[in-house]
Amino acid sequence: MRFTSTSRGARLARRLVSHRLNDWGHDYTTQVNETLTLITAELAANAVRHGHVPGRDFHVRLTLAEGTFRIEVTDTRAEKQPPTNPPAIDSLSESGRGMLLVATLADNWGVSPRRTAPGKTVWAELHAPPQGHPLTHRVAPEPTDIDLLLATASLLHGVPGSRPGAARRGGRRR
């Protein structure tokens, strides 16, 4: 899945991963869904904050194979690598805890070079008991443009002023 390198793109990536996990039988309130959603949020936020190149998107890939979920977030900045051992955090600091959370929550994580272009992929794995459909290997399909539009519209449904046509109702948008 491809997302704009913005905070909105990071938020959408997190929500779509949560929805995909729910579709795969790991309900929104399960530990697996909540943990992978948090890991995705941190990796996507890092891709936006530290891996952003103007005009370039970041990519998210979620797979399940033999009871192990793998989330991969790919950006276009190869020179900005996360530390292999996240440093101790100053208790007064307002940032710098993302990779510490990933290292704590994931069973395994790492960084690999991007295969097809400049950049890197930061990945994390989480072992989980199988649930839902008995498939042992799943890959979230690459959505088409229409799939992304429909998913975005469904996520925005119910947010005042963000639905298509909201600007037309009641006159001009302010």
Side-chain angles (χ1 to χ4, degrees):
M1 294 177 273
R2 189 176 90 194
F3 301 94
T4 59
S5 194
T6 63
S7 58
R8 185 177 183 148
R11 185 173 53 249
L12 185 58
R14 173 185 54 83
R15 292 186 72 179
L16 286 176
V17 164
S18 181
H19 288 301
R20 179 69 58 187
L21 291 166
N22 184 64
D23 291 345
W24 287 355
H26 294 275
D27 294 334
Y28 297 109
T29 58
T30 62
Q31 184 174 2
V32 168
N33 193 309
E34 290 179 350
T35 301
L36 279 169
T37 299
L38 179 56
I39 290 170
T40 301
E42 295 301 334
L43 295 181
N46 283 348
V48 169
R49 185 172 186 177
H50 303 294
H52 174 72
V53 172
R56 302 284 173 103
D57 297 332
F58 71 95
H59 298 260
V60 175
R61 183 171 187 212
L62 175 66
T63 58
L64 169 62
E66 299 176 16
T68 300
F69 285 97
R70 183 177 173 105
I71 186 77
E72 299 174 352
V73 177
T74 303
D75 64 49
T76 54
R77 297 219 33 207
E79 75 278 7
K80 290 278 217 159
Q81 300 278 328
T84 53
N85 293 319
I89 302 300
D90 176 10
S91 63
L92 299 176
S93 175
E94 293 182 9
S95 63
R97 293 177 178 81
M99 289 312 296
L100 183 60
L101 281 171
V102 171
T104 301
L105 295 172
D107 293 314
N108 196 13
W109 75 276
V111 182
S112 54
R114 189 174 183 187
R115 295 179 188 160
T116 58
K120 67 183 172 301
T121 298
V122 182
W123 54 268
E125 295 177 335
L126 181 67
H127 306 297
Q131 285 190 272
H133 196 275
L135 291 175
T136 57
H137 182 77
R138 297 180 189 173
V139 176
E142 287 294 324
T144 63
D145 288 341
I146 195 72
D147 291 333
L148 288 174
L149 286 171
L150 291 171
T152 302
S154 71
L155 291 174
L156 295 176
H157 183 69
V159 177
S162 63
R163 289 189 310 267
R168 289 187 297 260
R169 198 176 357 186
R172 285 184 293 171
R173 192 175 202 175
R174 297 172 200 227

